[in-house]
Amino acid sequence: MTKNTNTKRKGFVFKTYEAPFQSPFDKLFEIFKELITHTSGDFDEAIDWLRELDKEYKLTTAEYTIDDFIEDLKKKGYIREEIDPDGNGGITITSKTERAIRQQALDHIFGQIKRSGQGNHKSKSPGIGDEHTGDFRNYQFGDALDKVSITESLKNAQINHGIGDFSLSEEDLVVEETLHKSQMSTVLMIDISHSMILYGEDRITPAKKVAMALAELITTRYPKDTLDILVFGNDAWQIEIKDLPYLKVGPYHTNTVAGLQLAMDLLRRKRNTNKQIFMITDGKPSCLRLPDGQYYKDSAGLNPYIVNKCYAMAQQARRLHIPITTFMIAQDPYLMRFVTEFTKANQGKAFYTGLKGLGEMIFEDYETNRKKRIRG
């Protein structure tokens, strides 16, 4: 008999990286989604930018041009032609494109996050829930029968009473601990004051990308959670998720108090125990609306009257058990001091960051910013 000398070997094979195949449409569509976000949903401007990029980087060929790409966008339902009340025609993006932009933002900012089946947050306390922990305890009066572990209870009965004369008593019953699935209500506040595009830096586009990614994360991975989005300038108002690609900065001051008031009003209506506010801002509070409807503005520095109103709102949120996490894009020392005092008044958290890494920070904080849960 001859011995088989063939053996399987394991190891690494190194070869030149080859990018995954993309059709001409897919290549252009990736770029188009970025451009349509930067142009706040302006299709014509985005296409103009795409044509300029094509001239410089040769994105298209004679077989597939920008015009072919536009026709494919129409056929696939990403854009549609509309006529305004004045009879002028134009092309706008559809809800299908809005969803694609949100998904791209999620992929770019948070990475390839796998969707979970149930999509809920685990609380720290065991109790009545539907996720098994593997831990058992004795049955107590009031425990639901469907939580009784039949296998473990029968094993206890055999150990306690013997196999020959089977008997099952209440002392034999055990219940498996489960984790209560909590729900989170979040309000995301976005500063759209004029400073978000000052100093040659586009700060609003990263902010709305984060908002789109967070919206996509919650609706796909945590569908039982709620996310409300509001913007604040001289005033504050709520926007829908579908409005995010079209969000623009206005000629506004920063009325942080109005934003916080609206955020707390929105959270008061939620039945969830767990509530939080995320605030993305780059500037100091510089505006208040007085009881008579007039605006009190001061852009020169940190106005004590305005600042104290902000501290009062932070304390009010703390009394309502609503933590505020501030993502401060600017890093001026005097503004950082304000945010430090604001955070202390709320007992919340603050991150002093540039634009890079903003999304990852918000994602990580969303996953870990948990308060103590009640049992059951």
Side-chain angles (χ1 to χ4, degrees), residues 156-167:
N156 286 344
Q158 292 177 343
I159 293 172
N160 296 334
H161 309 293
I163 300 176
D165 187 16
F166 178 77
S167 175

Side-chain angles (χ1 to χ4, degrees), residues 59-75:
L59 302 175
T60 64
T61 63
E63 291 75 26
Y64 194 85
T65 66
I66 298 294
D67 292 330
D68 294 326
F69 173 66
I70 294 172
E71 285 302 313
D72 279 348
L73 286 174
K74 291 179 183 177
K75 291 176 184 177

Side-chain angles (χ1 to χ4, degrees), residues 77-135:
Y78 289 109
I79 59 174
R80 64 171 177 266
E81 295 188 40
E82 289 187 348
I83 299 176
D84 61 26
D86 297 328
N88 299 317
I91 296 178
T92 61
I93 63 175
T94 65
S95 58
K96 185 177 181 180
T97 304
E98 294 165 1
R99 288 194 301 271
I101 294 171
R102 292 198 300 270
Q103 184 60 52
Q104 184 184 53
L106 177 65
D107 293 341
H108 285 183
I109 293 175
F110 298 153
Q112 300 293 335
I113 298 173
K114 295 180 181 179
R115 299 181 183 182
S116 60
Q118 293 281 335
N120 291 293
H121 309 288
K122 297 177 184 177
S123 66
K124 297 178 182 177
S125 303
I128 301 173
D130 54 2
E131 182 164 321
H132 300 283
T133 66
D135 297 325

Side-chain angles (χ1 to χ4, degrees), residues 263-278:
M264 284 188 279
D265 285 344
L266 291 170
L267 289 174
R268 283 191 188 98
R269 306 171 196 169
K270 307 298 181 184
R271 295 183 179 180
N272 296 345
T273 304
N274 307 298
K275 303 173 182 181
Q276 64 182 352
I277 296 172
F278 285 168

Side-chain angles (χ1 to χ4, degrees), residues 232-335:
F232 61 105
N234 291 349
D235 296 290
W237 61 95
Q238 188 177 5
I239 64 171
E240 301 295 327
I241 291 174
K242 64 181 178 62
D243 300 326
L244 282 169
Y246 314 102
L247 190 60
K248 295 181 180 179
V249 167
Y252 307 124
H253 288 70
T254 307
N255 192 343
T256 306
V257 169
L260 292 170
Q261 286 174 333
L262 178 56
M264 284 188 279
D265 285 344
L266 291 170
L267 289 174
R268 283 191 188 98
R269 306 171 196 169
K270 307 298 181 184
R271 295 183 179 180
N272 296 345
T273 304
N274 307 298
K275 303 173 182 181
Q276 64 182 352
I277 296 172
F278 285 168
M279 178 167 64
I280 303 175
T281 182
D282 76 323
K284 57 185 173 293
S286 59
C287 178
L288 283 176
R289 192 166 188 177
L290 302 175
D292 62 1
Q294 297 292 318
Y295 291 100
Y296 178 79
K297 302 175 183 178
D298 185 357
S299 300
L302 285 175
N303 183 287
Y305 179 66
I306 298 176
V307 167
N308 287 333
K309 288 286 186 181
C310 290
Y311 295 155
M313 293 302 299
Q315 292 168 348
Q316 183 179 342
R318 184 185 67 191
R319 288 193 293 271
L320 294 172
H321 306 291
I322 300 174
I324 301 170
T325 304
T326 305
F327 297 89
M328 191 69 174
I329 297 173
Q331 296 187 7
D332 305 69
Y334 77 104
L335 293 180

Side-chain angles (χ1 to χ4, degrees), residues 35-49:
L35 294 174
I36 204 71
T37 302
H38 280 277
T39 62
S40 298
D42 190 321
F43 174 80
D44 292 331
E45 186 180 355
I47 290 297
D48 287 342
W49 275 105

